[in-house]
């Protein structure tokens, strides 16, 4: 571990002995995977934590998303945004569906709900918006558009674990939501993910898809894949879940310090978050628009001091080598503008406030 380097994130780990205690049973049972006791326990705890009625755990968030798209029998076109991680778009493409990119809004970087309707065609079957940085999309407006055009809504909630709006858990919006429990996320199971959904009848498929299509009676009903969360992953989740609220509180303090130091500076902007939202403080992006240094200059200045920020999300998905021949990022001008100016600063529960001050000093100097 390089002690001098400050990375953009650092994975949360429970106390070493706590994890050892949690996995001890595995040595008694020799059950390492295939929906063992840890898996079942984590599923139960997450149902409660998220206050949702259905959940299926996966070995990662990406496969959870791929499989829920398949299970919901979507086809044709899905409206999404290019300002996200590669996974969101890849999951659509890998289902043989065409992603249609909608622009984002400039205040919280989620899908611009005013631009959705223009993109709906007779081929559209769903909207797949992203609660980017944990910022909640305009879920009410999206629900009303979906109802009007009879579309499904799947949220990429990879960043939004633990977020609530007026006391309602983030997993209750739309037909389904995917969460990522990757090592870099607010809550991790090393690698891992889950999908929550409203329609109870999807449970059979979601469970079968992640285990080769095998049913409880041994029949193979579906051409499924393999995406099971193993017992060591689930055990990490059980431990990390216990510390989540404290971790989020620490993150909150760090974000407050950043804001205190960087607020009211001409050319530096934060995401706007409504008072109704209980945030999980997953990321701290700043938008550098007309500041004395460009985003790339700040990135370089900090790198020289061994502080590593991330141009997250840059480039836009529509500018990826695998997509740029088929898309024109000028059609989503706000997303392009933001991608060229956004920088996420280091943020993790154990980040010391002294270091936050040092980062701010470098940005402001
Ligand atoms: C992390 C992430 C994913 C993928 O999750 P994995 O668990 O890494 O597979 C999907 N979408 C977004 C926005 C993410 O940040």
């Amino acid at each position: 571990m390089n002690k001098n380097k400050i990375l953009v994130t650092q994975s949360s780990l429970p106390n070493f002995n706590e994890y050892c205690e949690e996995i001890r049973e595995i040595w008694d049972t020799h059950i390492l995977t295939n929906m063992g006791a840890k898996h079942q326990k984590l599923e139960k705890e997450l149902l409660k934590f998220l206050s949702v009625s259905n959940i299926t755990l996966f070995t990662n968030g990406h496969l959870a998303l791929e499989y829920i798209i398949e299970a919901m029998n979507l086809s044709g076109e899905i409206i999404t945004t290019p300002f996200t991680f590669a996974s969101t778009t890849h999951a659509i493409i890998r289902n043989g569906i065409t992603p249609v990119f909608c622009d984002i809004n400039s205040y919280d970087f989620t899908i611009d709900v005013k631009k959705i309707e223009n993109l709906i065609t007779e081929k559209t079957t769903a909207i797949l918006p992203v609660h980017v940085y944990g910022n909640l999309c305009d879920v009410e407006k999206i629900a009303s558009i979906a109802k009007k055009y009879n579309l499904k809504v799947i949220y990429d909630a990879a960043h939004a674990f633990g977020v609530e709006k007026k006391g309602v858990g983030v997993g209750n919006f739309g037909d389904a939501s995917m969460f990522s429990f990757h090592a870099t996320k607010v809550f991790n199971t090393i690698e891992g993910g889950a999908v929550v959904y409203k329609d109870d009848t999807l449970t059979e498929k979601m469970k079968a898809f992640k285990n080769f299509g095998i049913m409880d009676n041994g029949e193979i009903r579906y051409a499924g894949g393999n995406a099971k969360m193993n017992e060591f992953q689930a055990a990490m989740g059980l431990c990390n879940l216990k510390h989540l609220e404290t971790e989020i509180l620490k993150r909150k303090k760090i974000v407050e310090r950043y804001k205190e130091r960087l607020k009211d500076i001409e050319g530096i902007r934060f995401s706007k978050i409504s008072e109704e939202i209980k945030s999980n403080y997953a990321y701290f992006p700043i938008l550098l628009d007309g500041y004395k240094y460009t985003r790339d200059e700040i990135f370089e200045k900090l790198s020289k001091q061994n502080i590593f920020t991330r141009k997250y999300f840059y480039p836009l998905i529509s500018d990826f080598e695998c997509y740029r021949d088929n898309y024109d990022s000028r059609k989503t001008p706000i997303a392009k503008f933001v991608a060229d100016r956004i920088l996420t600063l280091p943020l993790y529960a154990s980040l010391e406030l002294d270091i936050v001050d040092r980062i701010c000093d470098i940005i402001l100097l």
Side-chain angles (χ1 to χ4, degrees):
M1 180 75 192
N2 189 330
K3 280 222 168 249
N4 303 315
K5 267 191 188 171
I6 306 293
L7 302 180
V8 73
T9 189
Q10 189 181 82
S11 300
S12 299
L13 281 167
N15 179 292
F16 180 68
N17 291 326
E18 187 184 349
Y19 186 63
C20 290
E21 208 44 59
E22 190 64 53
I23 60 174
R24 189 181 298 280
E25 236 176 276
I26 300 176
W27 267 257
D28 300 330
T29 62
H30 288 249
I31 291 172
L32 310 186
T33 185
N34 284 56
M35 288 66 80
K38 304 289 171 198
H39 182 287
Q40 289 171 35
K41 188 165 175 215
L42 183 61
E43 231 171 34
K44 257 195 219 117
E45 290 196 7
L46 289 178
L47 272 180
K48 208 165 93 202
F49 179 83
L50 294 166
S51 351
V52 292
S53 47
N54 300 295
I55 189 166
T56 307
L57 302 184
F58 284 84
T59 194
N60 58 56
H62 176 78
L63 287 172
L65 187 57
E66 267 195 38
Y67 289 176
I68 189 71
I69 293 171
E70 186 185 351
M72 286 167 74
N73 284 323
L74 301 176
S75 60
E77 296 172 356
I78 293 183
I79 296 171
T80 184
T81 84
F83 189 72
T84 176
F85 183 57
S87 167
T88 322
T89 306
H90 290 353
I92 297 171
I93 288 276
R94 291 173 62 79
N95 271 286
I97 298 171
T98 305
V100 173
F101 290 126
C102 183
D103 210 353
I104 59 172
N105 70 60
S106 59
Y107 50 89
D108 68 9
F109 318 124
T110 61
I111 195 164
D112 184 342
V113 290
K114 293 189 300 298
K115 295 181 181 167
I116 297 175
E117 285 194 75
N118 269 340
L119 299 170
I120 297 174
T121 71
E122 70 273 15
K123 290 189 191 146
T124 312
T125 54
I127 310 172
L128 204 173
V130 184
H131 298 307
V132 65
Y133 307 122
N135 298 346
L136 210 73
C137 297
D138 185 344
V139 290
E140 287 90 9
K141 183 69 192 168
I142 292 167
S144 79
I145 295 170
K147 192 164 175 219
K148 182 168 165 196
Y149 294 92
N150 194 23
L151 303 174
K152 298 286 185 201
V153 178
I154 302 176
Y155 283 105
D156 180 333
H159 294 178
F161 187 80
V163 172
E164 292 177 4
K165 179 170 187 177
K166 294 190 222 165
V168 178
V170 63
N172 290 288
F173 304 112
D175 296 285
S177 298
M178 175 276 279
F179 295 99
S180 165
F181 309 145
H182 182 257
T184 55
K185 304 298 205 278
V186 169
F187 167 70
N188 86 76
T189 62
I190 311 171
E191 290 264 5
V195 63
V196 302
Y197 44 93
K198 295 224 172 93
D199 178 0
D200 304 333
T201 66
L202 289 171
T203 300
E204 177 185 293
K205 278 188 183 170
M206 293 315 286
K207 286 195 159 154
F209 281 9
K210 68 175 178 183
N211 190 26
F212 308 102
I214 304 173
M215 307 300 296
D216 287 343
N217 65 4
E219 298 264 12
I220 314 259
R221 186 167 295 165
Y222 306 99
N226 180 11
K228 303 183 292 289
M229 177 182 281
N230 71 48
E231 291 293 276
F232 290 84
Q233 291 174 287
M236 183 62 86
L238 288 169
C239 293
N240 279 337
L241 197 56
K242 290 191 190 108
H243 305 292
L244 186 72
E245 289 301 333
T246 356
E247 295 259 314
I248 290 178
L249 271 177
K250 287 184 190 161
R251 285 172 172 273
K252 179 171 191 247
K253 291 221 164 69
I254 294 161
V255 167
E256 280 167 356
R257 183 68 147 248
Y258 271 131
K259 284 192 167 166
E260 185 54 38
R261 293 288 318 271
L262 300 176
K263 73 172 186 213
D264 303 330
I265 306 283
E266 204 186 318
I268 299 184
R269 218 161 30 85
F270 314 136
S271 315
K272 213 170 114 194
I273 299 179
S274 129
E275 301 271 303
E276 298 169 337
I277 305 294
K278 180 178 167 229
S279 174
N280 65 353
Y281 304 95
Y283 298 87
F284 188 67
I286 57 171
L287 189 84
L288 298 147
D289 176 20
Y291 184 53
K292 59 181 172 177
Y293 302 111
T294 63
R295 185 268 310 271
D296 292 355
E297 283 166 352
I298 301 267
F299 177 89
E300 286 304 325
K301 261 159 77 82
L302 289 164
S303 314
K304 282 196 191 114
Q305 307 285 330
N306 256 337
I307 295 164
F308 298 92
T309 57
R310 225 178 130 187
K311 298 175 193 178
Y312 199 56
F313 296 97
Y314 171 85
L316 283 187
I317 301 222
S318 38
D319 286 329
F320 284 4
E321 192 184 334
C322 55
Y323 295 127
R324 65 187 171 213
D325 290 345
N326 299 322
Y327 292 94
D328 181 356
S329 56
R330 286 172 303 187
K331 288 189 176 160
T332 54
I334 306 291
K336 178 120 187 85
F337 183 91
V338 173
D340 287 341
R341 289 165 181 79
I342 202 92
L343 191 68
T344 53
L345 302 183
L347 174 57
Y348 45 90
S350 57
L351 183 66
E352 287 156 33
L353 292 177
D354 286 359
I355 296 174
V356 174
D357 282 336
R358 220 177 94 213
I359 294 168
C360 294
D361 290 343
I362 298 168
I363 293 172
L364 293 171
L365 192 72

